[in-house]
Amino acid sequence: MDTFTQLTLNGLTLGSVYALIALGYSLVYGILKLLNFAHGDVFMVGSFIGFGTLQLLGGSTDPVVPIWLLLTLITLTAMAGCAVLGVAIERFAYRPLRDAPRIAPLISALGVSFFLAYSMQLLFGAEQRDYDAFSLGNGVLFLEGFNIGNVRVPLLRIVIIVSAFVLMAVLWVLVTRTRTGKAMQATSIDREAAAMMGIDIDRVIVFAFVLGSALAGAAGVLFALRAPTFASIGFLAGLKGFTAAVIGGIGSIPGAMAGGLILGFAEAYTQGYISTKWSDLLVFVILILFMLFRPQGLFGKADIRKV
């Protein structure tokens, strides 16, 4: 039972990060019907921005601000930096190809992905960056927490899980309760009709990239707090985020949340009960099965075809 509890906690931690990445895919796809394959590398850039901010603020061993403020600042800085990056990607890589055949923006997305990954590698090298979260506050993020049976739940995991769910809740409110969110919903249903009703389509699309990229930046920081980051990490993280979006129903915000959690649990249980070598394989087996038997995902709707 203790093993199951530990693996469930691992899955919840990992799944919440995947859910944040998947939300970025769903936001952009829901409006543009575009698979933004550069999104995983935005996640990677966010983890590097967070690391750079951490070093500017004194590093893990001697921060110049309290720990709670330090974590808030590195997360907000990563979100802001990735939001700006998302706007630049949309403006220069996707907007000129908005009315082009679908293969063109897809190739552009892959090009942006490689550009970001290799640029970061050339600028900062291929070595890993470790936030060294254990040193923060003399290990307070690991020493503080509570027990579930014989399983210790450190404060760091609580911070990661709660932060991810708070960000998901904020996104849900923005999309469902605000004027801009309703404009996003209208644009996702029919872009041309939304434009005729006076909605600024360009503004809505940019806002979607801002939100999605900011969430990817936050996910990058939350992930890097528990594992080292490096320049090529975005490719696999992006694929897993895309898989989570497909599982939930790409374009569906609740589906992205559910898909991320399902993927996190599946990966954690596979690592614990079978082997760590099989976890990535299982992720993509799940993707293939969904594409074969339920391509619309759990919360998505099947396309209506005129006959």
Side-chain angles (χ1 to χ4, degrees), residues 11-27 39 43 160-161 163-169 171 211-220 222-223 237-249 251-265 267:
L12 187 59
T13 306
L14 194 58
S16 60
V17 174
Y18 288 156
L20 289 177
I21 302 173
L23 283 168
Y25 278 106
S26 289
L27 281 170
H39 192 63
F43 160 90
I160 293 173
I161 294 168
S163 299
F165 276 90
V166 168
L167 289 170
M168 288 184 239
L171 175 66
L211 285 180
S213 300
L215 291 175
L222 295 179
F223 179 87
L239 284 179
K240 290 183 177 180
F242 170 70
T243 301
V246 171
I247 291 173
S252 168
I253 292 177
M257 299 177 189
L261 294 175
I262 291 171
L263 201 62
F265 288 132
E267 188 169 331

Side-chain angles (χ1 to χ4, degrees), residues 261-284:
L261 294 175
I262 291 171
L263 201 62
F265 288 132
E267 188 169 331
Y269 292 143
T270 303
Q271 290 175 350
Y273 290 123
I274 304 176
S275 170
T276 55
K277 298 178 181 179
W278 288 85
S279 58
D280 288 342
L281 176 62
L282 178 67
V283 166
F284 298 113

Side-chain angles (χ1 to χ4, degrees), residues 111-131:
V112 172
S113 174
F114 289 126
F115 173 80
L116 291 176
Y118 287 113
S119 294
M120 295 298 287
Q121 188 167 329
L122 286 171
L123 290 172
F124 302 106
E127 63 270 15
Q128 296 181 344
R129 262 71 178 181
D130 191 347
Y131 279 41

Side-chain angles (χ1 to χ4, degrees), residues 1 17 45 83 86 174 191 201 216 219 239 266 276 298:
M1 189 63 191
V17 174
V45 171
L174 282 173
R191 197 194 312 174
I201 300 301
L239 284 179
T276 55
L298 296 175

Side-chain angles (χ1 to χ4, degrees), residues 111-251:
V112 172
S113 174
F114 289 126
F115 173 80
L116 291 176
Y118 287 113
S119 294
M120 295 298 287
Q121 188 167 329
L122 286 171
L123 290 172
F124 302 106
E127 63 270 15
Q128 296 181 344
R129 262 71 178 181
D130 191 347
Y131 279 41
D132 191 18
F134 187 82
S135 298
L136 286 171
N138 296 317
V140 67
L141 291 177
F142 288 87
L143 298 176
E144 297 292 331
F146 60 91
N147 291 334
I148 301 178
N150 295 321
V151 176
R152 183 68 175 171
V153 183
L155 181 60
L156 178 61
R157 288 189 181 270
I158 301 171
V159 169
I160 293 173
I161 294 168
V162 171
S163 299
F165 276 90
V166 168
L167 289 170
M168 288 184 239
V170 170
L171 175 66
W172 178 256
V173 171
L174 282 173
V175 172
T176 60
R177 295 288 185 266
T178 65
R179 186 183 182 90
T180 303
K182 292 177 180 178
M184 291 172 65
Q185 294 180 54
T187 304
S188 68
I189 295 171
D190 192 320
R191 197 194 312 174
E192 289 75 17
M196 289 189 288
M197 294 299 293
I199 295 175
D200 188 340
I201 300 301
D202 288 336
R203 181 168 171 263
V204 169
I205 292 172
V206 168
F207 188 66
F209 271 89
V210 166
L211 285 180
S213 300
L215 291 175
V221 171
L222 295 179
F223 179 87
L225 281 171
R226 56 182 295 272
T229 184
F230 47 93
S232 59
I233 196 174
F235 180 73
L236 185 57
L239 284 179
K240 290 183 177 180
F242 170 70
T243 301
V246 171
I247 291 173
I250 193 163

